[in-house]
Amino acid sequence: MSPGDLAQIMLVALGVAASWLAAFGLLRLPTPFARLHCVSFAGAAGGMCFMAAVLVNRGGDPLGFKSAATIILLLLTGAVFVHASGRALRLRQQALEDRQ
């Protein structure tokens, strides 16, 4: 087994572990804001590990570069998604409180 194969196995295992940890957090955390942290963790940590495994596998070919671009795009859009979702949730909760 080459070091590249071992790195791929470790990255995929870390990605699966991060995804399971985030799923467990979604089930156990009490508030929607806390659950948003799990969603961002699953997207950032899990997705990065999977894409990094592809990058290690493919190296410098076009699929490897697309994987690197996907990692960067995932980090940027994931943060924006979680921020927008949290803001919408906060505004919704404030509107519900104002009605009461």
Side-chain angles (χ1 to χ4, degrees), residues 7-61:
Q8 289 173 43
I9 291 170
M10 292 300 296
L11 285 167
V12 169
L14 281 173
V16 169
S19 298
W20 274 105
L21 183 63
F24 182 71
L26 280 172
L27 293 174
R28 296 295 298 165
L29 292 174
T31 66
F33 293 109
R35 290 183 197 126
L36 268 177
H37 288 288
C38 291
V39 171
S40 67
F41 176 73
M48 280 186 50
C49 288
F50 294 133
M51 292 300 153
V54 172
L55 185 60
V56 167
N57 183 15
R58 300 304 290 226
D61 70 351

